[in-house]
Amino acid sequence: VPPVELPEVGVRASPAAVRAWCQAIVESLGTPVDIAADVADVLVAADLRGVASHGTFRLPVYCRLAEAGVLAVEARPARIGGTSVISLWDGRDGWGAHAGRVLIDDAIARASSLGMAAALVRHASHFGIAGWYAMRAAAAGMIGVVMTNTSPLVAPTRGRGQVLGTNPIAVAAPSAEHGMFVLDMATSAITWGRVLVAQRRGQALPAHVAMDTGGDPSADPAAVLDGGALLPLGGLEESAGYKGYGLALMVDILTGVLAGANTGTRVVPFSTALGPSDLGQLFIAINPVAVDADDFDRRVDLLLEDVLSAPAAPGGNPGVVIPGQPEADRERLQRRIGIVLDELDHASLAELGGRLSVPFPETRPFRCDALEDWE
Amino acid sequence: VPPVELPEVGVRASPAAVRAWCQAIVESLGTPVDIAADVADVLVAADLRGVASHGTFRLPVYCRLAEAGVLAVEARPARIGGTSVISLWDGRDGWGAHAGRVLIDDAIARASSLGMAAALVRHASHFGIAGWYAMRAAAAGMIGVVMTNTSPLVAPTRGRGQVLGTNPIAVAAPSAEHGMFVLDMATSAITWGRVLVAQRRGQALPAHVAMDTGGDPSADPAAVLDGGALLPLGGLEESAGYKGYGLALMVDILTGVLAGANTGTRVVPFSTALGPSDLGQLFIAINPVAVDADDFDRRVDLLLEDVLSAPAAPGGNPGVVIPGQPEADRERLQRRIGIVLDELDHASLAELGGRLSVPFPETRPFRCDALEDWE
């Protein structure tokens, strides 16, 4: 998920202070300290990487779900079956970030000797950015592969309406010299969050990434949000949108179907309090050392140098970047200048802090055109 | 890989006869009988499924490689390492279809008790349609996931030139009522074979699936074939082409890098006799029963019924199909009327048969407009 553009104006807050605030908010709902720490880690990581749609911005929704009893704030995932290679867990509708952290750690620990291991969970909740869990495996020297199904927003190729989730796939791998390879992508052509951002900013959508309620492609955010749907990655059938459609089904099969969770249209939307989503999630870790790939990270470099050496496409193009690099750059920037929030997001979080008597941390003004002075 | 359109006119030949001929051709090169049988099975399966670009059409190239000593016709894959969960093999530059069959069978056998198992191969050769191996796992009641890297044809997002392979991903899973789910897709927006077909038929390409030698998007097959490159799935960056680019890198990391094979620009093109391609390939089998998903195939049905129930998009759209269904329909048709070849492909195979003294089987004329009479 590449970072969204920084807002023209907004506020910035210390990452450590936002993390502490986030943890305190989650604890204030009755969540045990260690679980709240996982939630804060994952949400603030999304903020830092510029994936604001999956960061602390979502806290008001999580809080509403917790207060409605739909999110079980004290629940811990329980292992209920599977094998030594692929474990099956019940997430008990608890915090997704906590279950996700426990499950990727479980897969990493077993992959260390087995070479490859996986953990599957049913009754799982929204877990933020899938890339966080894949990156945890990469930080341990492994390849991480993480998938989740999500509530329906995407039309199948040749069809219309919200049937499949944006069902993301995240893959991370360490390299020796070029930072971490991190692919963290929805299998749709665009996310719902980006449509909302486009509407808020009065921008048109790219062609062929979404449809209106009648099933015709539409670049108008309002028409899409009013009963429309997203197109799968690839867009229309002629530009291979059937591949994104197939990938969305693949993710649902490997998560919801395999884990015994909800699938397709049965996944309860995250932002309602109608009931738990009962998502399915899959966490895989592969240990290159165990498969005799001792020089794995240098061989990743060799591949990444191939793409970095490609001449830039014309049109003032800034040149090739490695997946995950823009997010890593954004994190480096925000660790220095603070987490940047636009005024609407800041107001929403400040209101939440006020309501739960955990005031949002002190902020300083942010202006995009002053960015160079801070760098 | 959805079927290519049937030619207006051509010939048709009995599938059993084409299979026997294919096996005899491969044996005539000095290939042991059992290895030749695997090659014939995989190539004829591609013909039957309508993926002509990966079927017997490729035999002249395979023969050229064998005659040049680049393809080791007698070589058998050897297990050289890995673990009980993820085995590592040396393909010894032998027939890709044989090594692929051995490796998916190895993964299936171990997944039966382990729940999930994988096999990795280096020094691998072109193995035809990735879907064949994934379908073999699905026929055993499992989920199959298969990937291979391929020689460079795809430009990275923001770059130009041939840097990454079309690096396909295949996934198959059984369903109880709706046939097999089979996703078999290149991670590029289009394949090189389709560009060749468009040129031969005088058709323009869809917008934003390929570029010319300067890096500008081009719908002209000739401009693409003359030093251009394919775009990743998703097309341009604004329509999420960076996701296809990331998927292509992911496949190269999970195959070439992890297996210790060639990667990126170092993969030797299949159709030259410059040397072995030294591909990397990954075969994964997941056994739903071992992870307590006993009703797996019925739960796949439930998901597939969701997409089949979606109303059709407007514009005379034929309605939603399940990935793999068009190919299965084509196979059903061709098992009845025979494998259809256009006149160019038929001439090429007849010439090969003449040269190797293994005459191509008897054919009957094919005319697309007479199809209804035969059905």
Side-chain angles (χ1 to χ4, degrees), chain A residues 70-92:
Chain A
V70 166
L71 174 64
V73 294
E74 295 183 73
R76 294 177 185 279
R79 177 142 182 202
I80 56 171
T83 70
S84 62
V85 178
I86 179 165
S87 59
L88 178 65
W89 297 69
D90 184 335
R92 295 167 154 178

Side-chain angles (χ1 to χ4, degrees), chain A residues 111-130:
Chain A
S112 145
S113 58
L114 295 176
M116 179 170 83
L120 264 171
V121 60
R122 61 172 67 151
H123 298 304
S125 308
H126 194 274
F127 66 10
I129 47 170

Side-chain angles (χ1 to χ4, degrees), chain A residues 1-2 80-88 113-118 120 122 143 145 156-161 163-164 169 171 173 181 183-191 194 206-209 211 214-216 233-235 237-250 252-254 256-266 282 284 286-288 290-293 296 299-300 302-304 306-308 310-315 317-323 326, chain B residues 1-2 80-88 113-118 120 122 143 145 156-161 163-164 169 171 173 181 183-191 194 206-209 211 214-216 233-235 237-250 252-254 256-266 282 284 286-288 290-293 296 299-300 302-304 306-308 310-315 317-323 326:
Chain A
V1 190
I80 56 171
T83 70
S84 62
V85 178
I86 179 165
S87 59
L88 178 65
S113 58
L114 295 176
M116 179 170 83
L120 264 171
R122 61 172 67 151
I143 304 172
V145 181
T157 299
R158 299 187 184 178
R160 63 184 163 87
V163 179
L164 295 167
I169 302 172
V171 182
F181 167 85
L183 174 67
D184 185 357
M185 53 168 267
T187 52
S188 51
I190 193 172
T191 61
R194 299 271 164 151
H208 305 151
V209 299
M211 62 172 59
D216 286 309
L233 173 60
E237 182 172 5
E238 63 177 30
S239 53
Y242 57 88
K243 295 182 182 182
Y245 159 52
L247 287 171
L249 279 175
M250 173 193 83
D252 225 340
I253 289 171
L254 287 170
V257 176
L258 191 61
N262 272 339
T263 60
T265 56
R266 275 162 296 277
L282 173 65
I284 303 176
I286 301 174
N287 178 11
V291 291
D292 310 302
F296 178 77
R299 291 174 47 76
V300 171
L302 208 63
L303 173 64
L304 298 180
D306 267 355
V307 295
L308 292 172
N317 198 296
V320 174
V321 293
I322 294 166
Chain B
V1 191
I80 56 170
T83 70
S84 62
V85 178
I86 180 165
S87 59
L88 177 65
S113 58
L114 295 176
M116 178 170 82
L120 264 172
R122 62 171 68 153
I143 304 172
V145 180
T157 298
R158 299 187 184 178
R160 62 183 163 88
V163 178
L164 295 167
I169 302 171
V171 182
F181 167 84
L183 174 66
D184 185 357
M185 54 168 266
T187 52
S188 51
I190 192 172
T191 61
R194 300 271 162 150
H208 305 152
V209 299
M211 61 172 59
D216 285 309
L233 173 60
E237 182 172 3
E238 64 178 29
S239 53
Y242 58 88
K243 296 182 182 181
Y245 159 52
L247 287 172
L249 278 175
M250 172 194 82
D252 225 340
I253 289 171
L254 287 171
V257 176
L258 191 61
N262 272 338
T263 59
T265 56
R266 274 161 297 277
L282 174 65
I284 302 176
I286 301 174
N287 178 12
V291 291
D292 310 301
F296 178 78
R299 292 175 45 78
V300 171
L302 208 63
L303 173 63
L304 298 181
D306 268 354
V307 295
L308 292 172
N317 198 296
V320 175
V321 292
I322 294 165

Side-chain angles (χ1 to χ4, degrees), chain B residues 5 194-206 219-222:
Chain B
E5 281 170 39
R194 300 271 162 150
V195 180
L196 289 167
V197 167
Q199 187 190 42
R200 192 199 279 184
R201 298 185 178 172
Q203 295 165 338
L205 302 174
D220 174 10

Side-chain angles (χ1 to χ4, degrees), chain A residues 329-348:
Chain A
D329 292 344
R330 178 66 65 86
E331 175 164 351
R332 207 168 300 116
L333 172 69
Q334 291 194 122
R335 282 202 183 279
R336 196 168 53 241
I337 69 166
I339 290 174
V340 175
L341 298 168
D342 71 21
E343 285 163 350
L344 273 173
D345 288 355
H346 178 232
S348 158

Side-chain angles (χ1 to χ4, degrees), chain B residues 267-285:
Chain B
V267 177
V268 179
F270 167 61
S271 54
T272 68
L274 293 175
S277 292
D278 187 7
L279 303 177
Q281 292 161 351
L282 174 65
F283 304 79
I284 302 176

